[in-house]
Amino acid sequence: MPLRTNLIHLAFPFLLVILSASAAIARKPHTINFRSKNLYPESVAWDPTSEHFVVGSIHDRTLLSVSDAGVVGILVSDHSLPPNSTILGVFVDNHRRRLLAVVHSPPPLPTFNALVAYDLRSPHRRRLFLAPLAGDGDGDSDRPIANDVAVDTSGNAYVTNAAGNFIWKVTPDGMPSVFSRSLAFTSHPVDRDQPFSFCGLNGIVYINKGYLLVVQSNTGKMFKVNIEDGTARTVLLNKDLTLADGMAVRRDGVVVVVSHLKAYFVKSDDSWSQGVVFDETALDVDRFATSVAVGGEDRVYVLYGHVIEGMRGNGQRDEFGIMEIESEKESKEEAVWIYVLIGLGLAYFCFWRFQMRQLVTNMNKKTA
């Protein structure tokens, strides 16, 4: 009996390696299909405490939770917001348990742009503040489009203006101001004959080293913005991020930028003076991805909200999707390491068999 137990203990590491490697190879991307009539969500965020996604709507003043099984619940239904408001950006400030939403009223509705914050600790998600976002009067000719939002470690929120190409700042208690109108944001040519040429600054993320990264849809450029003074400069990339929309940051520092055409995986080794698009993942164009979030276990998910169909007002839809995406290049590199582990496991098993054979031979000699 002791010998059999020892054999099992010796074989266990090999079995563990084989099982874990097999599970990693067999895992398929996680797909979440959820239903909500005519929701047409434009933005998605991950709530790590409640372990669900949060989505907005381009047609409704509602914020919904979506579980990993596709179960939908109402988080906020704020009827004090203007009718037919569009939720263009959402962010979960997990440290302060706040949910922030960027609200915009498109034409022909009266101009309205705001950042609204809700308390996720309260049972009914009471509103903490509503910060109106207006132009600074410095040559504004375009109707503002409050778009996406990011939050720094002090609780300040930064909101992009897609039409005016500047960034608002909203303090933790809800005081708004124009934060950055850097000349870098208007230093690149825009082809006005291309689709979505009106859309400038779009996705925005905060990097823990003390700056923001912002992408611009109509130029495909990325900018690094200092949170101390709002100064900005173009990040030198090996290619443009065509029609860049939402963006998110993984724990390892890789930035994922999504357009409705593809997702770009971007990294930098010099604190984003320069960056490299090291992989691209094609997306389902018909489903029109607009946003990306990093969910549990650092997995990357894109939101398929069919937004262009919703904007045209020519569709009726109640099913939408949140789908995990992966870098094919990284997956291949990971597979190489998995096979290395399997090889090590096999080597261990062969060594183990040799040792057991020697042990049995020695025991037979003693009993002979």
Side-chain angles (χ1 to χ4, degrees):
M1 188 68 178
L3 177 59
R4 182 179 298 175
T5 302
N6 288 335
L7 295 178
I8 293 173
H9 286 169
L10 288 169
F12 181 74
F14 168 72
L15 294 174
L16 186 62
V17 168
I18 295 297
L19 289 174
S20 61
S22 300
I25 293 174
R27 189 180 73 83
K28 294 182 178 180
H30 183 202
T31 300
I32 304 170
N33 295 312
F34 63 97
R35 304 178 72 89
S36 182
K37 187 174 182 181
N38 291 333
L39 182 71
Y40 293 105
E42 203 275 346
S43 53
V44 63
W46 170 250
D47 185 341
T49 297
S50 299
E51 296 186 328
H52 60 221
F53 291 96
V54 178
V55 297
S57 170
I58 66 168
H59 288 325
D60 199 4
R61 299 163 288 184
T62 301
L63 293 161
L64 303 180
S65 64
V66 181
S67 75
D68 60 1
V71 178
V72 176
I74 296 177
L75 282 176
V76 175
S77 184
D78 192 344
H79 292 287
S80 67
L81 297 175
N84 299 314
S85 294
T86 294
I87 306 295
L88 290 183
V90 292
F91 186 92
V92 175
D93 182 2
N94 193 50
H95 179 68
R96 297 165 186 81
R97 294 304 295 154
R98 300 183 304 167
L99 173 59
L100 292 92
V102 178
V103 186
H104 170 70
S105 292
L109 300 173
T111 300
F112 181 84
N113 293 277
L115 179 69
V116 59
Y118 301 97
D119 183 4
L120 290 173
R121 293 190 180 98
S122 64
H124 302 291
R125 270 71 67 178
R126 70 181 180 87
R127 192 164 79 185
L128 297 171
F129 64 75
L130 186 148
L133 302 174
D136 64 357
D138 186 15
D140 281 334
S141 58
D142 295 316
R143 174 175 172 145
I145 303 175
N147 199 321
D148 200 8
V149 58
V151 176
D152 67 19
T153 53
S154 299
N156 298 300
Y158 303 87
V159 181
T160 52
N161 179 353
N165 279 307
F166 65 80
I167 301 171
W168 288 284
K169 178 178 179 179
V170 180
T171 63
D173 57 356
M175 297 297 295
S177 62
V178 173
F179 168 67
S180 178
R181 188 187 277 276
S182 172
L183 294 177
F185 301 149
T186 54
S187 62
H188 301 281
V190 176
D191 185 350
R192 294 298 176 184
D193 294 327
Q194 293 298 312
F196 310 107
S197 62
F198 67 91
C199 189
L201 296 185
N202 201 326
I204 184 170
V205 293
Y206 172 71
I207 304 297
N208 288 331
K209 294 182 179 180
Y211 50 86
L212 304 164
L213 292 179
V214 190
V215 291
Q216 194 169 47
S217 299
N218 53 14
T219 65
K221 302 300 182 183
M222 177 186 287
F223 303 95
K224 177 181 178 180
V225 185
N226 189 315
I227 64 167
E228 297 298 328
D229 57 13
T231 56
R233 59 183 179 182
T234 305
V235 178
L236 299 178
L237 299 176
N238 57 327
K239 66 185 338 179
D240 288 339
L241 309 172
T242 305
L243 296 175
D245 198 334
M247 58 193 307
V249 187
R250 296 191 324 205
R251 283 197 298 264
D252 62 1
V254 169
V255 171
V256 184
V257 180
V258 70
S259 73
H260 70 279
L261 302 172
K262 62 180 68 175
Y264 301 93
F265 291 81
V266 193
K267 62 183 178 181
S268 174
D269 295 327
D270 64 355
S271 297
W272 294 101
S273 293
Q274 301 180 71
V276 175
V277 179
F278 67 89
D279 204 2
E280 301 175 16
T281 298
L283 302 178
D284 188 336
V285 177
D286 293 335
R287 301 178 74 187
F288 211 89
T290 52
S291 187
V292 60
V294 177
E297 301 178 2
D298 216 31
R299 298 183 184 182
V300 179
Y301 293 82
V302 296
L303 172 67
Y304 284 125
H306 299 268
V307 169
I308 197 68
E309 177 184 294
M311 291 172 62
R312 290 170 178 165
N314 59 354
Q316 294 288 318
R317 183 181 296 276
D318 61 3
E319 185 170 309
F320 306 93
I322 298 172
M323 180 174 290
E324 181 186 2
I325 60 169
E326 297 176 323
S327 160
E328 184 177 344
K329 183 176 180 180
E330 289 179 318
S331 297
K332 288 180 178 178
E333 292 173 352
E334 182 180 333
V336 169
W337 282 108
I338 289 172
Y339 289 122
V340 169
L341 286 175
I342 292 175
L344 290 173
L346 287 171
Y348 175 84
F349 179 67
C350 293
F351 176 75
W352 170 76
R353 286 196 64 185
F354 173 77
Q355 291 290 91
M356 290 305 100
R357 186 176 299 167
Q358 290 293 104
L359 179 62
V360 171
T361 300
N362 292 336
M363 290 182 66
N364 289 337
K365 288 180 179 179
K366 290 180 179 180
T367 56

